[in-house]
Amino acid sequence: MGCGNTFFTLVITFSVALITYNIIISANAPLKQDFPGPLHKNSRHGLLLPQDPIIKMPVDRKSGPEIKKKRLFHTAVTASDGIYNTWQTRVMYYWFKKFKDEEGSDMGGFTRILHSGKADSLMDEIPTFVAQPLKDGMDQGYIVLNRPWAFVQWLQQANIEEDYILMSEPDHIIVKPIPNLSSDGLGAAFPFFYIEPTKQETILRKFFPEEKGPITNIDPIGNSPVIVGKEALKKIAPTWMNVSLAMKKDPDADKAFGWVLEMYAYAVSSALHGVGNILYKDFMLQPPWDTEIGNKYIIHYTYGCDYDLKGKLTYGKIGEWRFDKRSYTTSWPPRNLPMPPPGVPESVVTLVKMVNEATANIPNWGES
């Protein structure tokens, strides 16, 4: 009886000791997740990490942020071969190259679409596609009608790698890297205050019938600046060309729309194909009316800038100091244009500085 008790006591003691030992070992051992599949060596940390057998991605990266794919756009500028367009395009391309590869840019390739029908001296300086102009008499003296026809030819014949197109103009100066502002099948466009579809509904219904929807489907835009999907633009461009020609032949439309007729034609054509646009006011600024650069991406210097020597705007009257692109329709602007007087807004000062920097660095300035 005594021996039995002693043996039983020894068994209990040994069992308790074994359980205690296992508890101590387990408490101090590193935790190990039981992932199926082989181990994968993480080259960044030199650690062996289990690998997910389904998606084959290291565990420590599964929850990390996805790498955002850039949505590059191709910048296209239509131009003639005259001095007026040539010097503007050279300045524009200078600043395009300056900002193309900077952080925040989705700017891809660049093409000058030359609608004179023949090569010129800038072919080696600026990537150029030579488009044929409209047949004699078709533009009825409105040379801008060559723009949609030139785009049709370029989109049909050129190898454009990017999936998006930025339609720009020679008198645009890029002031900072431009991201792809389009989104979810919508284009991105600058809204012009003088494009007013609702006020022109009677005329526009000739080209945008009621079954296509309300007149408000037509955005208050032109074709530039616009960032739009390449495939969408391939559909829009032929319609844009045909609507432009039809509007020019229509006396009411021609009289009502005047020099912005081709802009209305693009807005109508975009709506006819169901391509809406994000109206992006910060896309560009237009001095002298816009006085600050702010968050804008492009300076459009279509208006003359006239000031007296006290920095007061004298629009409609030639100022004591002025910068107007139309002063250089048949001659090149000189290098080192005089800076505006004190008090002139930032937008105008920046414009002249940027023109001067470009002309100072473009070789053979003044030669076409």
Side-chain angles (χ1 to χ4, degrees):
M1 188 72 178
C3 291
N5 288 337
T6 301
F7 177 78
F8 181 75
T9 300
L10 288 173
V11 170
I12 294 298
T13 302
F14 177 79
S15 299
V16 171
L18 182 62
I19 292 171
T20 302
Y21 174 81
N22 286 331
I23 291 174
I24 293 172
I25 292 299
S26 298
N28 289 281
L31 293 176
K32 180 180 179 181
Q33 300 180 53
D34 187 19
F35 285 86
L39 293 178
H40 170 68
K41 186 170 183 179
N42 185 316
S43 59
R44 289 178 299 159
H45 306 295
L47 300 175
L48 288 176
L49 296 175
Q51 192 176 37
D52 191 305
I54 299 175
I55 59 175
K56 302 298 182 184
M57 182 183 292
V59 172
D60 69 333
R61 295 179 58 191
K62 282 178 63 177
S63 60
E66 295 182 2
I67 298 174
K68 186 177 180 180
K69 183 179 178 181
K70 291 178 75 69
R71 297 184 304 131
L72 297 179
F73 58 81
H74 193 103
T75 300
V77 177
T78 54
S80 68
D81 60 355
I83 289 176
Y84 182 62
N85 268 183
T86 298
W87 71 258
Q88 293 173 41
T89 306
R90 294 184 82 186
V91 171
M92 195 276 183
Y93 186 55
Y94 172 86
W95 286 105
F96 168 86
K97 291 188 295 182
K98 291 276 283 190
F99 289 114
K100 176 183 182 297
D101 296 322
E102 289 200 2
E103 184 178 354
S105 167
D106 284 322
M107 299 154 68
F110 184 100
T111 298
R112 176 183 63 140
I113 305 176
L114 183 65
H115 53 72
S116 63
K118 58 184 185 298
D120 66 2
S121 61
L122 291 186
M123 303 294 289
D124 293 332
E125 178 181 332
I126 303 175
T128 299
F129 173 87
V130 178
Q132 298 303 310
L134 291 168
K135 293 181 179 180
D136 290 344
M138 286 190 69
D139 63 12
Q140 301 178 60
Y142 182 52
I143 194 173
V144 183
L145 289 184
N146 284 287
R147 180 180 294 158
W149 172 224
F151 264 103
V152 169
Q153 295 172 70
W154 177 62
L155 290 164
Q156 289 178 347
Q157 300 174 34
N159 180 23
I160 307 163
E161 295 183 359
E162 297 83 0
D163 291 329
Y164 298 85
I165 307 294
L166 164 61
M167 292 183 284
S168 190
E169 295 182 25
D171 61 352
H172 287 178
I173 291 181
I174 298 170
V175 295
K176 67 178 182 179
I178 305 177
N180 191 335
L181 302 170
S182 66
S183 178
D184 299 326
L186 297 172
F190 177 81
F192 291 91
F193 70 90
Y194 49 78
I195 303 296
E196 302 177 289
T198 55
K199 289 187 177 181
Q200 301 289 354
E201 181 169 4
T202 301
I203 296 173
L204 289 175
R205 281 302 183 190
K206 297 181 182 182
F207 313 97
F208 189 77
E210 291 189 4
E211 58 265 27
K212 289 294 183 179
I215 208 71
T216 52
N217 285 356
I218 302 174
D219 294 321
I221 64 172
N223 81 289
S224 175
V226 170
I227 298 176
V228 64
K230 177 175 61 180
E231 296 306 316
L233 187 57
K234 285 181 178 180
K235 298 175 182 177
I236 293 170
T239 306
W240 174 28
M241 179 188 69
N242 291 326
V243 171
S244 296
L245 292 171
M247 284 183 172
K248 188 63 182 174
K249 291 179 180 179
D250 184 282
D252 294 331
D254 191 24
K255 181 180 178 180
F257 301 151
W259 64 276
V260 298
L261 180 148
E262 166 265 344
M263 297 173 68
Y264 268 103
Y266 180 83
V268 168
S269 302
S270 184
L272 285 171
H273 287 278
V275 179
N277 295 274
I278 301 167
L279 302 180
Y280 204 86
K281 290 185 177 181
D282 277 348
F283 212 148
M284 74 178 186
L285 69 150
Q286 302 184 95
W289 312 118
D290 298 312
T291 58
E292 298 179 354
I293 302 297
N295 294 319
K296 310 296 194 297
Y297 293 99
I298 293 170
I299 294 176
H300 181 210
Y301 54 100
T302 190
Y303 299 105
C305 301
D306 289 275
Y307 293 86
D308 64 22
L309 295 182
K310 295 181 180 180
K312 181 180 178 181
L313 181 66
T314 62
Y315 193 78
K317 177 184 177 182
I318 294 177
E320 297 172 278
W321 179 94
R322 76 180 324 231
F323 175 77
D324 188 338
K325 66 178 184 177
R326 294 165 191 83
S327 300
Y328 308 104
T329 55
T330 58
S331 63
W332 294 74
R335 284 176 165 150
N336 198 27
L337 290 167
M339 294 302 297
V344 171
E346 172 198 26
S347 62
V348 179
V349 174
T350 302
L351 167 60
V352 178
K353 283 183 177 179
M354 295 185 80
V355 170
N356 281 344
E357 178 178 330
T359 60
N361 289 282
I362 296 174
N364 304 316
W365 182 254
E367 300 176 17
S368 58

